[in-house]
Amino acid sequence: MLHWRRLLRPLAVLTLAAALVAPTGAAQAASAPSSGWNDWSCKPSAAHPRPVVLVHGTFGNSVDNWLGFAPYLVHRGYCVYSLDYGQLPGVPLFNGLGPIDKSAAQLQVFVDKVLASTGAKKTDMVGHSQGGMMPNYYLKFLGGAPKVNALIGLAPDNHGTTLDGLAQLLPYFPGAEDLISSATPGLADQIAGSPFVTKLNAGGDTVPGVQYTVIATKYDEVVTPYRSAFLQGAGVRNVVLQDLCPLDLSEHVAIGLTDRIAWHEAVNSLDPAHASRTTCASVFE
């Protein structure tokens, strides 16, 4: 017998994500420059010579997904930029829903703009959820690898997701898969075993020259199983958040929006020469 409460948990998390971004999107849309990020006059320092590009997740946008983490980076001296991608016609605020290969092309244009503005030769990237996975397409198929030093994923769905088993039920509902593919292709692309995921990971997870960090949480209810986030290959570091702090209960949404322990570890990957140990106390740093 199916445990319906368990199957509905991922949908509840997606609903929570939508609720978190919806109230503030329109009001905050102009807040990024005054908050210190998306400042196109910013020039990287010798201490932090690469600009950081933040890539939001599904249902997110360039502001609300990063209201916590972007100022966290700016305060530490980084030039920080975030983009909107994967928009659907007639759907405001909720992005990351379009075909992921087209979203990767949007990222390509944005990275070129950041490099031209800052004069840097490479960027670093931090992405949440789809935003940690989608850049892999840019790196592998759109020539992005020479322009990216490091890719850090916060709960990325690098090998797709079963949505806690819910996706495996789609074949039992005639027309459901076609409906998702036509209405929200970005969601369909993220289902484990989809043509997009198959193409993305064919021939290996990584490309030479890029340093990869994956920070996953065992309480993830959207990327399931949570270890499907992990990458294999040279230059890869896979981290379980609870190995850093067993008390951290962050799930899929919180790891990107509010979790300073995950952020501290992300900064360690941005500046490994000055990394400090990430512990439960990192929440106060």
Side-chain angles (χ1 to χ4, degrees), residues 110-145:
F110 189 79
V111 168
D112 287 347
K113 179 181 178 181
V114 169
L115 293 178
S117 175
T118 60
K121 294 183 178 180
K122 290 189 175 185
T123 66
D124 289 322
M125 290 185 183
V126 182
H128 179 210
S129 190
Q130 180 189 161
M133 172 270 284
M134 177 269 279
N136 284 325
Y137 191 94
Y138 165 62
L139 298 177
K140 293 183 75 172
F141 301 107
L142 300 180

Side-chain angles (χ1 to χ4, degrees), residues 136 139-140 145 148-151 203-214 230-238:
N136 284 325
L139 298 177
K140 293 183 75 172
V148 177
N149 170 70
L151 172 60
D205 291 348
T206 64
V207 295
V210 179
Q211 300 300 309
Y212 298 82
T213 300
V214 173
F230 291 159
L231 296 169
Q232 302 298 322
V236 171
R237 191 168 66 93
N238 294 312

Side-chain angles (χ1 to χ4, degrees), residues 20-225:
L20 284 170
V21 299
T24 58
Q28 297 289 348
S31 70
S34 62
S35 299
W37 91 91
N38 282 341
D39 176 2
W40 296 99
S41 66
C42 187
K43 298 300 179 183
S45 65
H48 303 301
R50 292 178 299 275
V52 180
V53 174
L54 303 179
V55 191
H56 66 74
T58 309
F59 293 113
N61 61 58
S62 62
V63 176
D64 292 309
N65 207 137
W66 304 115
L67 286 172
F69 187 52
Y72 182 92
L73 290 177
V74 170
H75 179 69
R76 286 157 176 78
Y78 291 89
C79 291
V80 182
Y81 302 87
S82 60
L83 77 156
D84 286 307
Y85 71 86
Q87 303 91 333
L88 290 180
V91 181
L93 303 181
F94 300 101
N95 299 328
L97 298 173
I100 297 180
D101 58 344
K102 301 298 190 294
S103 295
Q106 291 179 277
L107 176 62
Q108 179 184 29
V109 172
F110 189 79
V111 168
D112 287 347
K113 179 181 178 181
V114 169
L115 293 178
S117 175
T118 60
K121 294 183 178 180
K122 290 189 175 185
T123 66
D124 289 322
M125 290 185 183
V126 182
H128 179 210
S129 190
Q130 180 189 161
M133 172 270 284
M134 177 269 279
N136 284 325
Y137 191 94
Y138 165 62
L139 298 177
K140 293 183 75 172
F141 301 107
L142 300 180
K147 301 176 182 180
V148 177
N149 170 70
L151 172 60
I152 300 151
L154 305 175
D157 52 344
N158 285 316
H159 295 95
T161 176
T162 67
L163 274 178
D164 211 8
L166 191 61
Q168 297 173 355
L169 295 179
L170 290 176
Y172 296 97
F173 295 88
E177 291 179 282
D178 291 339
L179 176 62
I180 293 174
S181 295
S182 60
T184 53
L187 292 179
D189 284 347
Q190 294 177 74
I191 295 174
S194 72
F196 176 84
V197 169
T198 300
K199 176 181 178 179
L200 179 65
N201 294 301
D205 291 348
T206 64
V207 295
V210 179
Q211 300 300 309
Y212 298 82
T213 300
V214 173
I215 305 173
T217 171
K218 64 172 61 176
Y219 300 115
D220 202 318
E221 296 184 355
V222 174
V223 176
T224 58

